[in-house]
């Protein structure tokens, strides 16, 4: 499985976005200017330009290259991350004695004829979730699965990177009866949605209005991504993906 991938594994022990130092505060200010459509002050623009990597310098400066790999390797290794996601889900489902459900995404063309079977098979294997709207081609799900929300959802109050636990999987009414003895099962229809419990203590007190779910529980429906481009056979295909959830 790892034969053709980069031979590095990164163990992320926490979630972080901005450091509380000069560099982190500068980045926040830069992003605020971009969000508000304001021109960057000269001093801030200079700091941003100073962080541009020169490929020739990167090729000769071993210390800089090592720092880049240590700090940003996770961004280069989606192919590995996507494999590890699947392996982790399989191991944890088996360890807890839960049936592992697989939900295949539905990819449709946005700028031409419907995708062929070969094009669909190839698009579902795209490893970089940042390309596909943070929706996986094949989502593993099991009861008790620990996840993080990866996509931007319509569900109020749910934001990306929020840790959750899968509490219920609402299968499609047309889904054939499942044998409980099966360790893994590929669903024939996309589930109606997934109920998750947010582990954050503040969310644990929140009740969704007009909903019969317990406090801290949310129902997440299938999500459709915006159009993204996929390269296949020398051409770039516009694709829109629908998947049961945006989990990582």
């Amino acid at each position: 499985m790892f034969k053709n991938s980069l031979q590095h594994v990164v163990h992320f022990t926490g979630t972080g976005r901005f450091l509380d130092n000069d560099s982190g505060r500068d980045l926040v200010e830069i992003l605020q200017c971009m969000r508000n459509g304001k021109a960057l002050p000269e001093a801030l623009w200079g700091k941003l330009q100073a962080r541009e990597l020169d490929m020739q310098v990167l090729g000769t400066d071993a210390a800089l290259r090592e720092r880049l790999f240590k700090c940003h390797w996770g961004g280069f290794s989606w192919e590995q991350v996507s494999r590890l996601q699947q392996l982790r889900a399989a191991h944890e489902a088996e360890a807890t004695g839960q049936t592992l459900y697989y939900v295949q995404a539905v990819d449709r063309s946005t700028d031409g004829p419907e995708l062929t079977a070969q094009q669909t098979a190839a698009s579902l294997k795209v490893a970089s979730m940042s390309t596909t709207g943070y929706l996986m081609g094949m989502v593993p799900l099991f009861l008790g699965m620990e996840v993080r929300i990866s996509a931007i959802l319509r569900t109020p109050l749910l934001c990306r990177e929020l840790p959750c636990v899968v509490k219920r999987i609402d299968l499609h009414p047309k889904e054939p009866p499942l044998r409980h003895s099966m360790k893994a099962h590929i669903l024939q229809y996309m589930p109606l949605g997934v109920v998750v419990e947010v582990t954050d203590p503040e969310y644990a007190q929140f009740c969704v209005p007009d909903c019969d779910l317990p406090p801290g529980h949310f129902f997440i429906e299938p999500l459709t991504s915006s159009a993204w481009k996929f390269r296949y056979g020398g051409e770039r295909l516009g694709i829109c993906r629908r998947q049961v959830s945006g989990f990582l």
Side-chain angles (χ1 to χ4, degrees), residues 1 25 41 46 52 65 92 105 116 122 132 137 142 155 167 187 192 208 210-211 213 225 229-230 234 244:
M1 198 172 267
R25 287 188 288 271
E52 182 178 354
R65 187 167 59 252
E92 292 183 352
T116 65
T132 64
F142 64 88
T155 308
K167 290 296 185 179
L187 298 177
L192 302 179
V208 179
D210 302 321
C211 181
L213 293 175
S225 73
K229 292 294 184 179
F230 166 61
V244 67

Side-chain angles (χ1 to χ4, degrees), residues 65-79:
R65 187 167 59 252
E66 182 66 17
R67 180 186 172 202
L68 174 69
F69 287 163
K70 284 184 177 180
C71 294
H72 306 288
W73 196 264
F76 303 145
S77 305
W78 266 118
E79 187 171 344

Side-chain angles (χ1 to χ4, degrees), residues 188-225:
Q188 296 186 25
Y189 294 88
M190 187 169 294
L192 302 179
V194 178
V195 173
V196 299
E197 180 183 11
V198 180
T199 57
D200 185 280
E202 294 185 10
Y203 278 86
Q205 309 301 319
F206 185 81
C207 289
V208 179
D210 302 321
C211 181
D212 59 356
L213 293 175
H217 290 65
F218 296 82
F219 182 71
I220 300 180
E221 298 178 284
L223 180 68
T224 301
S225 73

